[in-house]
């Protein structure tokens, strides 16, 4: 029986995780859940899984959740960042689903690494902002890192069981998002609703905007660098609008291994949840004849400057990925709040990287300092434009 903490249970990944878990009550037990402000949704999840702990943002949210659960389930309600770290490192928990969005997920995900857990990593921002520190903790404490991001989960499945012998390149596929072929000047008038309407995947708002700018793929290039210990030069992005091939690994003999499936996050979640065993995910079988034409194209870096910025940040190393991630989070929130235009997202990130070229990120303190500095600079740039 695997005992789980699910960080970010109320989000898109959290809900898909609970869906897979509910199909296998004999294999999984939910010990702890976290949600941030969606208290009614979290209350419903607590009523159906009866976890020992539930964690929310603050005291007011905790009061609200306690009132909803009173007399119905014995879940202990906690709040704040220390409580997230606590449920990420509980001795009785062996597996942590890290599905909080953004930099907010770093501390709890690190806590799960330091306590040697099996970490199901959806929270790519944690790895982008603090890759060196994070991977050090994973290795030092014998944690097991299993990728949930569909591309990285696909790469993981196509890699040799041990080592990297014979691997030449990682090919990350990208759908190209909703604006792959829209006229460039139409991008100036894109609304948050249009940016969040992804053609293939149903996801949270932040990652949906990242997919529309292709910063999501940029973050994933950096994520792949850390997960698979692979330099930027050996990671390529391939546009594949159907999202059936989730990524590929090319070997020196010319073989290219691909992992395919319907675009549904329950497949990588199920794969990681019980790895190395295979379990039913609830995802329907892939109908290859219906999928028919699978198209592959080169990415257009001029249309998607965020992708180029991410490659540059990875090559620059040091704190550049931390700055890139923080500036992106600030710019995406401003866009979602209609304070910034869609194409200005890349401008804000580029200007922040130019303002802060040499941030170190060797320690956690340096990572947080670079993150804070980048947020302040990006915020000023956003305000100056409005
Ligand atoms: P979401 O917005 O749907 O959910 C985010 C979760 O994080 C919610 O449970 C929310 O309560 C919690 N949260 C938000 N802010 C928080 C804070 N400050 N402190 C604590 N908790 C907070 O997001 P999502 O789409 O589920 O994505 C989650 C993560 O998984 C992201 O890092 C995303 O990049 C990654 N991911 C998502 C998908 C997908 O299909 N949705 C695919 C690959 C990777
Ligand atoms: Mg992905």
């Amino acid at each position: 029986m695997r005992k789980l903490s699910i960080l970010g249970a109320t989000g898109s990944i959290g809900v898909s995780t609970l869906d897979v878990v509910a199909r296998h009550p004999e294999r999984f037990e939910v010990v702890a859940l976290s949600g941030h402000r969606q208290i009614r949704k979290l209350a419903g999840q607590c009523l159906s899984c009866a976890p020992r702990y539930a964690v929310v943002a603050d005291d007011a949210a905790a009061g609200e959740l306690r009132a909803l659960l009173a007399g119905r389930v014995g879940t202990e309600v906690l709040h704040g960042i220390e409580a997230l770290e606590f449920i990420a490192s509980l001795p009785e928990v062996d597996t942590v689903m890290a599905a909080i969005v953004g930099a907010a997920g770093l501390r709890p995900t690190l806590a799960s690494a330091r306590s040697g857990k099996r970490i199901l990593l959806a929270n790519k921002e944690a790895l982008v902002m603090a890759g060196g520190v994070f991977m050090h903790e994973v290795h030092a404490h014998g944690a097991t890192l299993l990728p949930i991001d569909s591309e990285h989960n696909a790469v993981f499945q196509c890699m040799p069981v041990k080592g990297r012998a014979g691997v030449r390149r990682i090919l990350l596929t990208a759908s190209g998002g909703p604006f792959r072929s829209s006229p460039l000047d139409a991008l100036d008038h894109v609304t948050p609703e249009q940016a969040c309407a992804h053609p293939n995947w149903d996801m949270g708002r932040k990652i949906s905007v990242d997919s529309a700018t292709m910063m999501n793929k940029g973050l994933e290039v950096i994520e792949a660098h850390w997960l698979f210990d692979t330099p930027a030069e050996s990671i390529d992005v391939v546009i594949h609008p159907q999202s059936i091939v989730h990524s590929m690994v090319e070997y020196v003999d010319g073989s290219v291994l691909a992992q395919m499936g319907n675009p549904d996050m329950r497949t990588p979640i199920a794969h990681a949840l019980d790895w190395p065993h295979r379990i039913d995910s609830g995802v329907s079988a892939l109908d290859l004849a219906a999928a028919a034409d699978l198209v592959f194209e080169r990415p257009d870096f001029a249309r998607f400057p965020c992708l180029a910025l991410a490659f540059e940040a990875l090559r620059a190393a040091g704190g550049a990925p931390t700055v890139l991630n923080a500036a992106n989070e600030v710019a995406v929130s401003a866009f979602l709040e209609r304070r910034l235009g869609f194409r200005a997202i890349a401008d804000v990130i580029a200007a922040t990287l130019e303002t802060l070229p040499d941030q170190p990120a060797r320690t956690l303190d340096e990572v947080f300092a670079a993150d804070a500095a980048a947020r302040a600079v990006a915020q000023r740039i956003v305000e100056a434009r409005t």
Side-chain angles (χ1 to χ4, degrees), residues 6-16 34-38 41-42 45 55-57 80-81 84 97-105 108 121-126 148-152 201-208 210 216 219-220 223 264-265 268-269:
I6 305 177
L7 311 176
T10 52
S12 160
I13 293 288
V15 168
S16 294
S34 92
H36 198 53
R37 303 206 177 275
Q38 289 173 281
K41 192 165 181 182
L42 186 60
Q45 295 177 335
V55 176
V56 293
I81 183 74
L84 285 174
M97 167 56 82
I100 290 174
V101 60
L121 186 76
N123 180 208
K124 67 190 90 185
E125 296 91 344
I148 292 298
D149 217 341
S150 57
E151 296 76 4
H152 306 75
W201 298 94
D202 181 12
M203 310 180 285
R205 281 163 69 79
K206 192 261 175 184
I207 184 177
S208 296
D210 286 347
N216 183 49
L219 300 178
E220 290 182 356
E223 184 185 11
D264 187 321
M265 289 306 292
I269 289 168

Side-chain angles (χ1 to χ4, degrees), residues 187-188 190 331 334-335 338-346 385:
L187 296 186
D188 288 329
V190 159
F335 168 71
R338 299 175 208 275
R339 292 187 287 119
L340 190 72
F342 179 75
R343 290 177 85 178
I345 294 173
R385 297 180 67 111

